[in-house]
């Protein structure tokens, strides 16, 4: 009866090794300079698994390229393509960027070299350096061949687990013991181990992304800033709802915690900062974004997440308030609709119209607010101004009536 | 000894249950299978062939997929020609002169949504009281009719097919799982298998006229139900999927 005992101990060891592997790896920071690209220019798959993966993703790309969620703006798309080229390292000529109109802070990279950037991400970026950081992170997944490495890791670990489970079952039946609990432990270990690998790859992408933007001359501090912004935004969003920000067990996450990423990126940024890495490119970014910032603000404000919206607007306003930001700050207050919020909205509308770039809607909102406050003549004048700026607005007839015209 | 034999018998029975071919077609109540002089356009057929890894993941294989796709399309065109139909394969969305790529994409997306709804309410058990005993009662509407007029086609066929084959490691596990039955630990493992669906849209009315789902699964190592990488296997799948099209319930009742 020594055989079952041996098997049992082997099983136990395996299960624990997996757990420890995951627990022990509170993922050390990866120094950016240790990250070398694993592919050269014009990378094409040769192994069978990678060829299959590419073929699948070609169809995905067709789907995305023809999707009606794409933001139709060739100029902005080519601007983002240009950034990808600048921070893409050896893959500079191979990266494609699609912009999806989804008001969420996200982007993803396909194994074949195309990435999808969500408009919610574009809204949150203060300048080109921040945006390049995200693009370089995504490009980093491609440079380090993350999808195929992840797939191979998964193949290896699930196969090991299956053989182990089968061996334990058959061996247990033959030897007369029950190994189910140990198999469950091994299963859990496998899951933890897969997640741990996923987080490791995310850290790799952060590290190589940081290296790429600093080599392109951008200020590497922009990357940890992005994470700081995200943390602060989540906190702000939760605070308005009188909640705490959801903090998950990092063991069960595919990505490292934002705090970890921010802290690691800060340390790494110091390593790669030189006298040459100073570029922020804010003006260029704003020019490329053009009128979209307004649409993106509109999408965000309508998400009914006043905490996040306030944070995003105020974060952008660190570079200076303007009519657009003031108007949407007012909109957030108005839509929030709590006691006293309409006063705050009114103040922001009044501030918005003082800027030359105030959108016509700011005049309308200001006018309505004045009418509510009983300042009829001033209100009518503001509405008249709205009609001058937006004579063909869909609500022009109604506003004309209110303005007494 | 007696107990052991019982286990083997039981497990053999359960294995037999696990190895099967299933199809289930549902038609519009007024559906007449296309016959005679008709034309059919196959909308960017979606075929994937992969390898089942030891861990049970399916890894797509580009070479197998291409071979299977070519075989399936050839078998399909031959089958339709046997009924008098002319088949045209749409390879890319921009493949029809005079029809905008975006319109094809819209139609595909519309069909994907409708197809999901059919799968949910007709195959996965979430039955709708309003659609009970009414066959396939879904339509792609004007858009499909417009597409039919622009292409001059009578029917559109949406085809999705998957096939997979067990890797050596998977086969070893399958053998172990069955061998285990002899010591009382029966754990048959799924090997390769096929799953496919075909959806026929009548472009003259815009309605989804007929829908079929095919599934094959085997837990016995070495036993499969066709291999669409070969011309014969592909013809077999086409036959199972589209061979015996039944007319709609009302049509059959009138006969």
């Amino acid at each position: 009866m020594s055989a079952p005992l041996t098997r049992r101990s082997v099983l136990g060891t395996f299960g624990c090794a997996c757990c420890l592997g995951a627990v022990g790896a509170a993922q050390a920071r990866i120094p950016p300079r240790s990250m070398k690209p694993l592919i050269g220019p014009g990378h094409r798959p040769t192994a069978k698994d990678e060829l299959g993966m590419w073929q699948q993703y070609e169809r995905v790309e067709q789907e995305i390229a023809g999707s009606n969620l794409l933001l139709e703006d060739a100029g902005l798309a080519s601007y983002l393509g240009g950034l990808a080229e600048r921070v893409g390292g050896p893959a500079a000529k191979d990266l494609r960027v699609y912009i999806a109109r989804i008001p969420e802070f996200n982007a993803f990279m396909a194994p074949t070299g195309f990435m999808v950037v969500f408009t919610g991400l574009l809204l949150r970026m203060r300048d080109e350096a921040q945006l390049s950081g995200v693009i370089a992170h995504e490009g980093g997944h491609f440079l380090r061949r993350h999808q195929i490495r992840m797939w191979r890791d998964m193949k290896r670990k699930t196969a090991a687990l299956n053989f182990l489970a089968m061996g334990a079952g058959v061996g247990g039946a033959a030897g007369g013991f029950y190994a189910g609990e140990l198999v469950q432990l091994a299963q859990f270990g496998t899951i933890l181990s897969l997640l741990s690998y996923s987080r490791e790859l995310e850290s790799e992408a952060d590290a190589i992304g940081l290296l790429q933007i600093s080599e392109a001359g951008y200020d590497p501090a922009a990357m940890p800033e992005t994470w700081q912004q995200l943390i602060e935004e989540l906190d702000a969003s939760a605070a308005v709802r009188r909640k705490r920000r959801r903090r998950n067990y990092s063991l069960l996450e595919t990505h490292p915690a934002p705090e970890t990423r921010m802290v690691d990126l800060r340390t790494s940024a110091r390593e790669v900062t030189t006298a040459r890495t100073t570029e922020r490119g804010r003006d260029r970014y704003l020019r490329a974004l053009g009128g979209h910032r307004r649409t993106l603000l509109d999408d965000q404000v309508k998400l009914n997440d006043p905490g996040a919206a306030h944070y995003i607007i105020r974060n952008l306003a660190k570079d200076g308030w303007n009519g657009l930001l003031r108007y949407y700050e007012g909109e957030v207050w108005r839509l929030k609709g709590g006691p006293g919020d309409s006063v705050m909205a009114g103040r922001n509308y009044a501030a918005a119209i003082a800027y030359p770039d105030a959108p016509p809607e700011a005049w309308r909102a200001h006018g309505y607010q004045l009418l509510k406050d009983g300042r009829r003549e001033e209100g009518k004048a503001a509405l008249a101004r709205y009609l001058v700026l937006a004579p063909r607005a869909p609500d022009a007839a109604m506003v004309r009536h209110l303005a007494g015209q | 000894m007696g107990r052991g034999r019982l286990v083997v018998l039981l497990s053999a029975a359960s294995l037999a249950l696990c190895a099967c071919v299933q199809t289930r077609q549902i038609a519009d109540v007024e559906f007449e299978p296309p016959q005679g002089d008709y034309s059919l356009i196959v909308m960017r057929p979606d075929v994937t062939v992969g390898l089942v890894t030891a861990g049970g993941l399916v890894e797509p294989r580009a070479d197998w997929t291409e071979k299977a796709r070519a075989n399936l399309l050839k078998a399909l065109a031959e089958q339709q020609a046997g009924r008098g139909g002319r088949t045209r394969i749409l390879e890319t969305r921009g493949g029809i002169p005079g029809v905008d790529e975006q319109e094809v994409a819209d139609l595909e997306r519309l069909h994907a949504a409708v197809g999901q709804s059919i799968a949910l309410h007709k195959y996965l058990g979430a039955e709708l009281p309003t659609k009970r005993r009414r066959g396939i009662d879904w339509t792609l509407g004007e858009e499909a009719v417009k597409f039919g007029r622009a292409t001059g086609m009578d029917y559109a066929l949406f085809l999705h097919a998957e096939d997979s084959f067990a890797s050596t490691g998977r086969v070893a596990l399958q053998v172990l799982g069955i061998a285990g039955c002899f010591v009382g630990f029966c754990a048959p493992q799924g090997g390769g298998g096929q799953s496919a669906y075909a959806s026929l849209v009548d472009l003259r009315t815009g309605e989804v006229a007929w829908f079929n789902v095919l599934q094959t699964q085997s837990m016995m190592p070495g036993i499969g139900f066709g291999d669409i990488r070969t011309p014969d296997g592909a013809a077999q799948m086409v036959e199972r999927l589209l061979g015996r099209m039944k007319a709609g319930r009302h049509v059959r009742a009138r006969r």
Side-chain angles (χ1 to χ4, degrees), chain A residues 356-376:
Chain A
D357 72 323
E361 288 75 12
W363 287 94
R364 180 184 61 191
H366 181 55
Y368 282 154
Q369 193 66 35
L370 290 171
L371 290 183
K372 254 196 246 171
D373 295 346
R375 294 157 68 179
R376 290 187 55 79

Side-chain angles (χ1 to χ4, degrees), chain A residues 221-336:
Chain A
M223 259 176 102
E225 269 169 29
T226 303
W227 290 105
Q228 187 183 347
Q229 284 167 203
L230 178 71
I231 293 166
E232 289 173 357
E233 179 190 325
L234 293 173
D235 281 338
S237 165
V240 170
R241 286 177 280 117
R242 298 207 178 84
K243 296 249 163 66
R244 267 169 206 265
R245 170 159 55 94
R246 204 169 59 100
R247 278 196 176 80
N248 294 321
Y249 295 105
S250 58
L251 268 186
L252 300 176
E253 290 287 302
T254 56
H255 288 56
E259 284 86 352
T260 316
R261 295 179 77 171
M262 178 180 73
V263 170
D264 285 357
L265 280 166
R266 268 186 196 151
T267 315
S268 298
R270 281 194 290 274
E271 281 179 18
V272 293
T273 300
T274 65
R276 217 174 48 78
T277 55
T278 52
E279 202 178 328
R280 298 297 305 212
R282 178 166 176 269
D283 292 341
R284 252 197 329 266
Y285 177 58
L286 290 184
R287 256 201 316 279
L289 199 54
H292 292 300
R293 183 170 260 186
R294 182 174 163 184
T295 317
L296 305 190
L297 279 165
D298 214 62
D299 288 350
Q300 172 65 42
V301 163
K302 286 173 181 153
L303 290 178
N304 190 23
D305 186 353
H310 273 314
Y311 177 80
I312 291 168
I313 290 168
R314 288 167 195 173
N315 185 51
L316 295 176
K318 284 177 189 163
D319 296 313
W321 282 97
N322 55 36
L324 186 70
L325 293 176
R326 273 289 171 214
Y327 168 64
Y328 278 105
E329 175 79 358
E331 284 290 271
V332 179
W333 283 114
R334 180 178 69 82
L335 292 167
K336 199 171 154 212

Side-chain angles (χ1 to χ4, degrees), chain B residues 6-56:
Chain B
L6 183 69
V7 169
V8 172
L9 273 176
L10 280 178
S11 56
S14 73
L15 288 174
L17 286 176
C18 290
C20 50
V21 179
Q22 266 187 327
T23 62
R24 194 163 151 241
Q25 55 172 294
I26 307 176
D28 186 286
V29 287
E30 294 293 344
F31 174 67
E32 299 258 20
Q35 194 72 44
D37 182 26
Y38 68 92
S39 56
L40 173 85
I41 183 164
V42 189
M43 307 292 285
R44 290 203 313 148
D46 185 13
V47 180
T48 310
V49 183
L51 181 76
V52 184
T53 68

Side-chain angles (χ1 to χ4, degrees), chain B residues 20-25 72 123 159-163 193-198 210-217 225-226 228 233-244:
Chain B
C20 50
V21 179
Q22 266 187 327
T23 62
R24 194 163 151 241
Q25 55 172 294
L72 277 178
Y123 288 89
L159 181 70
H160 172 94
E162 287 171 29
D163 201 350
Q194 301 178 336
S195 68
Y197 74 78
W210 179 89
F211 203 92
N212 196 8
V213 172
L214 163 73
Q215 215 137 25
T216 77
Q217 171 72 45
F225 296 93
I228 63 173
Q236 192 180 31
M237 180 189 263
V238 168
E239 182 54 29
R240 278 179 186 145
L241 198 57
L242 296 153
R244 276 158 298 174

Side-chain angles (χ1 to χ4, degrees), chain A residues 77-367:
Chain A
S78 84
Y79 168 75
L80 288 180
L83 295 185
E85 192 172 334
R86 195 169 157 190
V87 298
K93 298 280 179 202
D94 303 318
L95 298 175
R96 282 97 62 207
V97 185
Y98 298 95
I99 311 165
R101 187 171 169 190
I102 302 173
E104 256 174 54
F105 177 66
N106 214 343
F108 70 84
M109 184 79 217
T112 51
F114 72 88
M115 72 178 80
V116 179
V117 169
F118 290 12
T119 47
L121 171 80
L122 296 180
L123 170 65
R124 286 163 172 82
M125 298 293 100
R126 281 173 66 184
D127 51 41
E128 194 176 282
Q130 287 190 350
L131 177 58
S132 295
V134 179
I135 289 179
H137 167 95
E138 297 304 331
H141 285 307
F142 185 62
L143 290 176
R144 299 282 303 169
R145 312 184 71 212
H146 281 168
Q147 286 88 348
I148 194 70
R149 283 169 62 201
M150 187 77 215
W151 175 250
R152 287 174 185 165
D153 182 66
M154 206 189 298
K155 271 197 289 187
R156 215 170 28 242
K157 287 172 183 165
T158 51
L161 174 69
N162 252 11
F163 275 110
L164 179 97
M166 187 63 80
V170 175
F177 69 90
Y178 176 67
E181 280 118 7
L182 292 173
V183 170
Q184 272 173 14
L185 184 65
Q187 238 163 16
F188 187 55
T190 305
I191 293 169
L192 289 185
S193 164
L194 287 172
L195 289 169
S196 158
Y197 191 58
S198 166
R199 291 192 301 274
E200 185 189 326
L201 297 186
E202 287 302 324
S203 304
E204 274 195 22
D206 276 347
I208 196 167
L210 194 68
L211 190 64
Q212 293 300 335
I213 68 163
S214 68
E215 280 177 2
Y218 290 113
D219 179 2
M223 259 176 102
E225 269 169 29
T226 303
W227 290 105
Q228 187 183 347
Q229 284 167 203
L230 178 71
I231 293 166
E232 289 173 357
E233 179 190 325
L234 293 173
D235 281 338
S237 165
V240 170
R241 286 177 280 117
R242 298 207 178 84
K243 296 249 163 66
R244 267 169 206 265
R245 170 159 55 94
R246 204 169 59 100
R247 278 196 176 80
N248 294 321
Y249 295 105
S250 58
L251 268 186
L252 300 176
E253 290 287 302
T254 56
H255 288 56
E259 284 86 352
T260 316
R261 295 179 77 171
M262 178 180 73
V263 170
D264 285 357
L265 280 166
R266 268 186 196 151
T267 315
S268 298
R270 281 194 290 274
E271 281 179 18
V272 293
T273 300
T274 65
R276 217 174 48 78
T277 55
T278 52
E279 202 178 328
R280 298 297 305 212
R282 178 166 176 269
D283 292 341
R284 252 197 329 266
Y285 177 58
L286 290 184
R287 256 201 316 279
L289 199 54
H292 292 300
R293 183 170 260 186
R294 182 174 163 184
T295 317
L296 305 190
L297 279 165
D298 214 62
D299 288 350
Q300 172 65 42
V301 163
K302 286 173 181 153
L303 290 178
N304 190 23
D305 186 353
H310 273 314
Y311 177 80
I312 291 168
I313 290 168
R314 288 167 195 173
N315 185 51
L316 295 176
K318 284 177 189 163
D319 296 313
W321 282 97
N322 55 36
L324 186 70
L325 293 176
R326 273 289 171 214
Y327 168 64
Y328 278 105
E329 175 79 358
E331 284 290 271
V332 179
W333 283 114
R334 180 178 69 82
L335 292 167
K336 199 171 154 212
D341 288 346
S342 80
V343 177
M344 293 303 290
R347 270 185 214 158
N348 277 288
Y349 297 142
I353 56 156
Y355 292 96
D357 72 323
E361 288 75 12
W363 287 94
R364 180 184 61 191
H366 181 55

Side-chain angles (χ1 to χ4, degrees), chain A residues 163 166, chain B residues 167-177:
Chain A
F163 275 110
M166 187 63 80
Chain B
S167 64
T168 320
R170 189 71 184 172
V171 170
L173 273 172
Q174 286 185 295
V175 171
L176 266 177

